């Protein structure tokens, strides 16, 4: 029996206010997922039982603590009638997948406050293919005001009992992200869903780089359940950095030198509206706006590892991934051509960086990841490690690119991820080193990221699983050659690409991993990250 929305001019309402469903709202498909185990789980204490019209027929509807079940009411047929048995098949939805309930009314232009009651509408989050989520509706039609009021109140009571679902959110919106589409993305796709879910929002437009950082240092966050960033990787990283700095300040810690940072106090939601959306893609398994929004609404929260970047003992910033060498130089070039469109700027910078490809002379020290139980327990508790027992390793030479990544870094040009063997919260980082080689071989390595082949299966590429990394450039200047123009050279230091943001440092950079330091709204890591 298909679940359809009637084509009459009706709307899902609460308190008589007409409310338009967002563009991507869809009718709930027929044949919802059922199994003996699910049916058994749904058969707990019955809360309500009644008759509603669902689709085009009357149904016997049962509301239990965890599920809504219904079965068509049909005339008696002879036993063994297969068609009759199929039509009487029970269907149900789990209440944990419902994110809102509204009274459904038919409103005319003259009826501004309330209209004829039609029943109840449930708004549901459904899983689709490729890690995507979609919002759907189920209409329970019954014209009795008293009957619907009892059911409506019971639904509201059940939904109020789900943990982690936000009631108020602080929104940071970067209108300059990608093709300046973030504002349209938010008001057309995100805000309608948040309104249906009854979530209050306070929107701040990010006017310049560092705006969110300056605001989050002082603004009052006590009334919010979470923070959401609508933008690209740079914006998302800035907000995450600001939340973590705020947490250290509230804990009375010195923010210049942090060895064991405290966890961010509010979860962060990432709405992808940038050009690459590596952070959101890695978190959700797909850069899909509705999916990201529904994860926030449903309160799906997971802890994610974060890195600290320090130089000469001073904290530079919090982040999730970094590239030094080719990755840093390509970003430095792209920043000089901001007048281009994002895709053009990225492609142009990569081509130009490849044309002027040259290695960095540096020394890399790293602490291999220790999987022993006592170290893992100490790491989970945030205890500082004793360096005297740690076996640091060191490599020095000419390197074309150095990547340090605490997350898989999925994106359109690397669907398996720049670091496919890394997870969001496994307590380790991937250190990927591309040694000096010919331009053609390095290009082959880069092209492998877009394919299913192993991008590390080259003699000049080395990979390590680490906890800490120190990168010490041995050049006197930022690779500057007075006989050769170098557009990436800067008196501030060597260019680093940290979560899509340019960071220039003239001396050694120390990257340290801090497990599960921030909560992000997103699906289960094992569910959302594609298998390699």
């Amino acid at each position: 029996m298909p679940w359809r929305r009637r084509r009459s001019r009706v709307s899902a309402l609460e308190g008589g206010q007409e409310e338009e469903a967002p563009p991507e709202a869809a009718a709930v498909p027929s044949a919802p997922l059922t199994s003996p185990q699910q049916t058994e789980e749904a058969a707990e204490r019955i809360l309500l039982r009644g008759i509603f019209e669902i689709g085009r027929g009357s149904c016997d509807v049962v509301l239990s603590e965890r599920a809504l079940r219904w079965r068509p009411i049909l005339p008696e047929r002879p036993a063994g009638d297969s068609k009759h048995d199929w039509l009487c098949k029970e269907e149900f939805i789990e209440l944990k997948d419902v994110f809102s309930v509204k009274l459904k009314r038919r409103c005319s232009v003259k009826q501004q406050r309330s209209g004829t009651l039609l029943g109840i509408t449930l708004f549901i989050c459904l899983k689709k293919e490729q890690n995507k989520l979609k919002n759907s509706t189920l209409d329970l039609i019954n014209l009795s005001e008293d009957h619907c009021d009892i059911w409506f109140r019971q639904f509201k009571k059940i939904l109020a009992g789900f943990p982690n679902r936000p009631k108020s959110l602080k929104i940071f919106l970067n209108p300059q992200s990608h093709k300046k589409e973030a504002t349209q993305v938010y008001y057309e796709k995100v805000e309608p869903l948040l309104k249906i879910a009854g979530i209050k929002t306070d929107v701040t437009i990010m006017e310049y780089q560092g705006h969110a950082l300056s605001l989050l240092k002082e603004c009052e966050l006590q009334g919010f359940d979470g923070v959401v960033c609508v933008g690209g990787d740079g914006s998302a990283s800035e907000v995450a950095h600001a939340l973590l700095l705020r947490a250290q300040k509230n804990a009375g810690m010195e923010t210049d030198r942090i060895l064991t940072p405290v966890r961010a106090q509010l979860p962060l939601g990432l709405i992808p509206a940038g050009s690459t959306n590596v952070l959101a893609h890695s978190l959700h398994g797909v850069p899909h706006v509705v999916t990201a929004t529904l994860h926030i609404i449903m309160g799906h929260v997971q802890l994610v590892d974060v890195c600290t970047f320090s130089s000469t003992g001073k904290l530079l910033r919090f982040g999730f991934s970094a590239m030094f060498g080719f990755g840093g130089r390509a970003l430095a070039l792209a920043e000089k051509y901001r007048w281009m469109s994002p895709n053009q700027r990225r492609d142009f910078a990569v081509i130009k960086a490849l044309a002027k490809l040259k290695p960095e002379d540096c020394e890399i020290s790293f602490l291999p990841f220790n999987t022993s139980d006592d170290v893992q327990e100490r790491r989970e508790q945030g205890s500082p490690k004793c360096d005297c027992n740690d076996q640091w390793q060191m490599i020095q030479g000419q390197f074309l690119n150095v990547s340090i990544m605490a997350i898989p870094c999925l994106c359109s040009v690397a669907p398996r991820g720049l670091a496919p063997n890394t997870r969001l919260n496994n307590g380790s980082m991937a250190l990927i080193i591309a040694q000096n080689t010919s331009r053609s071989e390095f290009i082959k390595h880069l092209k492998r990221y877009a394919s299913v082949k192993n991008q590390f299966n080259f003699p000049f590429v080395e990979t390590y699983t680490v906890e800490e990394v120190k990168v010490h450039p041995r050049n006197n200047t930022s690779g500057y050659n007075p006989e050769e123009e170098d557009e990436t050279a800067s008196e501030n230091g060597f260019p680093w690409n940290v979560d899509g943001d340019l960071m220039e440092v003239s001396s050694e950079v120390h990257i340290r991993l801090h497990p599960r330091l921030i909560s992000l709204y997103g699906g289960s890591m094992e569910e959302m990250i594609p298998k390699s």
Side-chain angles (χ1 to χ4, degrees):
M1 179 186 68
W3 301 346
R4 295 196 179 98
R5 297 184 67 182
R6 294 187 169 188
R7 295 184 179 274
S8 57
R9 189 171 179 271
V10 299
S11 59
L13 302 174
E14 180 179 358
Q17 297 297 321
E18 184 169 356
E19 183 169 342
E20 293 291 336
E24 296 202 24
V28 179
S30 62
L33 296 176
T34 59
S35 68
Q37 181 181 358
Q38 289 176 320
T39 304
E40 183 179 350
E41 290 176 352
E44 69 265 349
R45 185 169 65 91
I46 293 176
L47 302 176
L48 292 172
R49 185 167 188 171
I51 296 176
F52 288 92
E53 180 183 335
I54 299 179
R56 295 182 178 179
S58 295
C59 295
D60 178 17
V61 184
V62 177
L63 176 65
S64 61
E65 294 174 325
R66 290 189 293 174
L68 180 75
R69 297 181 286 129
W70 65 95
R71 187 187 298 270
I73 301 174
L74 298 174
E76 291 188 6
R77 298 284 183 90
D81 188 329
S82 59
K83 182 178 180 181
H84 178 266
D85 293 341
W86 180 81
L87 289 173
C88 288
K89 181 179 180 182
E90 182 182 89
E91 298 179 274
F92 79 93
I93 56 173
E94 294 184 79
L95 295 179
K96 67 180 180 64
D97 296 328
V98 178
F99 65 88
S100 186
V101 57
K102 306 286 185 183
L103 291 175
K104 184 180 183 69
R105 298 182 184 273
R106 176 183 285 116
C107 293
S108 64
V109 177
K110 296 180 180 180
Q111 293 173 312
Q112 297 181 357
R113 292 192 175 182
S114 63
T116 303
L117 177 70
L118 298 176
I120 297 171
T121 296
L122 300 180
F123 293 86
I124 306 164
C125 173
L126 292 179
K127 292 182 180 179
K128 293 177 66 179
E129 71 287 347
Q130 297 179 339
N131 301 321
K132 287 185 179 180
L133 302 178
K134 73 172 183 177
N135 54 298
S136 305
T137 57
L138 175 66
D139 292 331
L140 307 177
I141 305 301
N142 190 302
L143 303 183
S144 169
E145 290 270 3
D146 292 339
H147 185 69
C148 288
D149 183 65
I150 294 172
W151 281 72
F152 176 74
R153 290 178 183 275
Q154 188 64 59
F155 278 124
K156 294 285 285 186
K157 181 179 178 181
I158 293 172
L159 295 184
F162 288 113
N164 298 328
R165 293 193 178 183
K167 297 179 177 61
S168 180
L169 293 170
K170 176 65 181 178
I171 312 289
F172 286 94
L173 192 158
N174 183 1
Q176 301 300 321
S177 290
H178 194 35
K179 299 177 182 178
K180 301 184 179 181
E181 297 172 345
T183 303
Q184 180 181 1
V185 164
Y186 176 74
Y187 287 107
E188 291 186 4
K189 293 185 177 182
V190 179
E191 187 185 54
L193 283 172
L194 297 180
K195 282 187 175 180
I196 287 177
I199 298 174
K200 297 178 182 179
T201 58
D202 181 75
V203 180
T204 294
I205 304 297
M206 299 170 68
E207 299 176 358
Y208 53 88
Q209 187 174 0
H211 189 191
L213 178 61
S214 62
L215 287 176
L216 281 171
K217 283 182 179 179
E218 305 295 341
C219 73
E220 180 59 56
L221 295 176
Q222 188 173 359
F224 297 107
D225 301 309
V227 176
V228 174
C229 176
V230 185
D233 290 320
S235 304
S237 181
E238 178 184 331
V239 175
H241 172 63
L243 279 175
L244 286 164
L245 275 183
R246 172 71 176 263
Q248 313 317 306
K249 181 179 178 181
N250 291 347
M253 299 180 65
E254 174 58 52
T255 56
D256 281 345
R257 299 175 185 272
I258 301 176
L259 292 178
T260 55
V262 299
R263 186 175 295 168
Q265 296 165 327
L266 292 178
L268 171 63
L270 306 178
I271 303 296
S275 54
T276 54
N277 303 303
V278 167
L279 292 175
H281 199 156
S282 298
L283 181 63
H284 308 304
V286 62
H288 187 240
V289 171
V290 171
T291 295
T293 306
L294 287 174
H295 277 306
I296 295 170
I297 290 172
M298 301 300 288
H300 297 159
V301 176
Q302 62 176 315
L303 291 168
V304 177
D305 299 340
V306 180
C307 306
T308 50
F309 296 85
S310 305
S311 183
T312 61
K314 183 178 181 180
L315 176 71
L316 300 176
R317 62 176 294 162
F318 291 93
F320 300 92
S321 65
M323 287 186 286
F324 175 75
F326 172 78
R329 291 188 178 279
L331 179 61
L333 281 169
E335 289 297 308
K336 294 180 179 295
Y337 296 89
R338 299 290 298 181
W339 51 271
M340 292 185 178
S341 69
N343 291 338
Q344 286 180 328
R345 183 169 69 242
R346 181 191 63 197
D347 294 343
F348 175 79
V350 168
I351 292 172
K352 197 162 187 178
L354 284 172
K356 297 187 175 184
L357 185 66
K358 56 186 177 183
E360 301 285 358
D361 183 14
C362 61
E363 179 182 291
I364 302 173
S365 303
F366 61 91
L367 181 63
F369 178 59
N370 192 331
T371 59
S372 62
D373 293 339
D374 59 333
V375 173
Q376 286 297 319
E377 183 178 357
R378 195 150 38 94
R379 187 183 296 117
E380 289 289 338
Q381 296 173 351
S383 301
K385 298 184 288 294
C386 178
D387 287 348
C388 61
N389 295 323
D390 295 329
Q391 301 298 317
W392 283 80
Q393 298 182 22
M394 191 263 288
I395 304 173
Q396 56 185 359
Q398 302 279 320
F399 306 115
L400 291 177
N401 190 69
V402 179
S403 298
I404 305 103
M405 299 178 172
I407 61 175
C409 293
L410 278 68
C411 58
S412 59
V413 296
R416 292 179 61 244
L418 298 175
N421 297 324
T422 306
R423 291 296 178 263
L424 296 173
N425 52 15
N426 61 352
S428 66
M429 300 182 292
L431 171 62
I432 304 166
I433 301 172
Q435 297 181 351
N436 193 18
T437 187
S438 66
R439 182 182 289 104
S440 61
E441 286 297 299
F442 185 67
I443 291 174
K444 287 180 183 178
H445 162 61
L446 296 181
K447 286 184 175 180
R448 285 276 185 92
Y449 282 99
S451 70
V452 296
K453 296 181 179 179
N454 184 359
Q455 62 263 45
F456 309 130
N457 190 22
F458 291 91
F460 59 89
V461 178
E462 299 178 6
T463 62
Y464 304 89
T465 303
V466 301
E467 300 176 26
E468 294 185 49
V469 179
K470 297 177 182 178
V471 180
H472 178 68
R474 297 193 296 183
N475 304 55
N476 292 329
T477 62
S478 176
Y480 178 69
N481 185 345
E483 297 180 359
E484 179 182 351
E485 181 185 0
D486 185 355
E487 293 187 58
T488 67
S490 169
E491 61 182 16
N492 295 324
F494 296 87
W496 282 75
N497 181 338
V498 179
D499 297 334
D501 272 350
L502 182 62
M503 181 178 76
E504 296 177 330
V505 189
S506 59
S507 57
E508 177 183 273
V509 175
H510 184 183
I511 304 99
R512 184 194 297 259
L513 184 83
H514 303 277
R516 300 169 178 262
L517 194 60
I518 191 170
S519 298
L520 299 182
Y521 287 110
S524 166
M525 178 182 64
E526 295 304 322
E527 281 185 11
M528 309 311 291
I529 300 299
K531 297 289 189 296
S532 57

